[in-house]
Amino acid sequence: MADHSTEFQTATRLTHAGRKGKRHHGPVNPPLVRASTMLFPDCASLQEAYGTRRVYGRHGNETTHALEQALCAAEGAAACLLTPSGLSAITTTLLALLKSGDHLLMTDSAYDPTRHFCDNMLKQMGVETAYYDPLAGADIAALIKPNTKVIFVESPGSLTFEVQDIPAIAAAAHAAGAVVVSDSTWATPVGWKSFELGVDVSIHAATKYIVGHSDALMGAILTNAALEAPIRDTYKQLGLAIGGDDAALALRGLRTMAARLAVHRESAMRVAEWLAAQPEVAEVLYPPMPGAQGHEIWKRDFDPKYACGLMGARFHDDICRQQVAALIDSTDLFGIGFSWGGYESLLLPTDPSRVRNHRAAQWTAPMIRLHVGLECVEDLISDLQQGFDALREQARLARAA
Ligand SMILES: *Cc1c(COP(=O)(O)O)cnc(C)c1O
């Protein structure tokens, strides 16, 4: 099979990766395989198959392997392991790379369940986690201890959207013999060249843009060649596997991801600019928007064509949570719910100060997180206008009372 990892542009790679190329005739897509037991014609064939790691359903099948190959080609990874959720991709990787007595530097902007795992299971195992300011950059060198094995990054963070200086952090990590593990869900496999920037393991909640239609949960661990063996071994010991049906959904999503991201990005920029013009909004947290926090590093490190549709907005201190609830409850098109990366728009109240060790005071004002979906952006902006009208009405009633 042709290796589409380098010679074509992103959208082309996503369309062709993990398929058999021009010589393949028959259905366009790989077969959907549902399998536990695999049968062999005789003992000699069974013996031969032991070497291939493909003798049982848990070792994957034609459908899951096609998805693994496509994801490797999309991001330029040496290997891919698929897990039942984004969170299990994170926990599996940390379990593989850390042992009792080790030290982990975790970004303070990390996804909350990642923190929960560090503060509970890793702690019980004797792994110490220190949370660092996501804006640390090269200064992170001062936090590295002789037993620091992993520096975990998440850029931008999915609630506060700080853009981290990954090359500076990776240089400090590698100089000290530590590895960089990234929760790259916001970036997606095509939004940045993670491995060229210095990331060693790039993790995705494939649940988001890869699946892309809010109908399956999945995680992907994309690793460089050096770390494949320990991660694969832990994956195997934990007994992880995904089903063919979910792999087929993810593969189907991946094919259109570049086209979808282009629309998410266009619409998100329009929504971000509209939000920034509302007097109640103190700050829009969308790094692709010129002037936004982190925009300069984002411009340096990310592919501007494939930004995603997730952003935050922080209100002025005089806006209360009740007013924000009125806004959210009064929209018709924005669903209220967790996760993101599907075709639909979402809106949530957020409170990052709850889960921060550094600069918690920066995040005490009411905030919202928006996922800008594939609806017509004019409809989305009218819907938000309706929400802001409700917020203003709520404020007027409060003043009158
Ligand atoms: C959603 C998400 C996860 C977890 O993914 P699941 O598939 O829901 O387990 C991890 N990291 C980030 C940044 C996420 O947004």
Side-chain angles (χ1 to χ4, degrees), residues 84-88 90 111 114 154 158 183 185-186 205-208 217-219 339-340 369:
S85 69
L87 183 58
S88 61
I90 294 166
Y111 181 63
T114 302
E154 183 181 323
S158 66
D183 182 336
T185 303
W186 194 97
T207 309
K208 311 288 163 58
L217 290 158
M218 195 184 296
S339 205
W340 43 282
R369 186 177 77 176

Side-chain angles (χ1 to χ4, degrees), residues 146-222:
N147 60 340
T148 304
K149 294 291 161 58
V150 174
I151 300 184
F152 194 102
V153 299
E154 183 181 323
S155 179
S158 66
L159 290 183
T160 45
F161 300 90
E162 291 96 337
V163 183
Q164 297 192 256
D165 191 342
I166 304 297
I169 292 172
H174 295 153
V179 300
V180 177
V181 175
S182 166
D183 182 336
S184 307
T185 303
W186 194 97
T188 81
V190 301
W192 63 350
K193 297 213 175 334
S194 51
F195 295 100
E196 287 175 23
L197 292 170
V199 168
D200 296 290
V201 183
S202 183
I203 297 173
H204 297 274
T207 309
K208 311 288 163 58
Y209 288 103
I210 296 170
V211 167
H213 296 74
S214 306
D215 50 5
L217 290 158
M218 195 184 296
I221 305 169
L222 290 158

Side-chain angles (χ1 to χ4, degrees), residues 104-160:
L104 162 67
L105 280 171
M106 173 58 66
T107 177
D108 203 26
S109 55
Y111 181 63
D112 194 19
T114 302
R115 296 176 74 105
H116 188 74
F117 178 74
C118 295
D119 298 342
N120 291 274
M121 200 169 281
L122 284 187
K123 190 174 169 198
Q124 278 168 32
M125 280 172 50
V127 173
E128 185 201 343
T129 300
Y131 293 94
Y132 67 90
D133 187 327
L135 299 179
D139 296 345
I140 200 156
L143 305 174
I144 298 177
K145 305 208 283 185
N147 60 340
T148 304
K149 294 291 161 58
V150 174
I151 300 184
F152 194 102
V153 299
E154 183 181 323
S155 179
S158 66
L159 290 183
T160 45

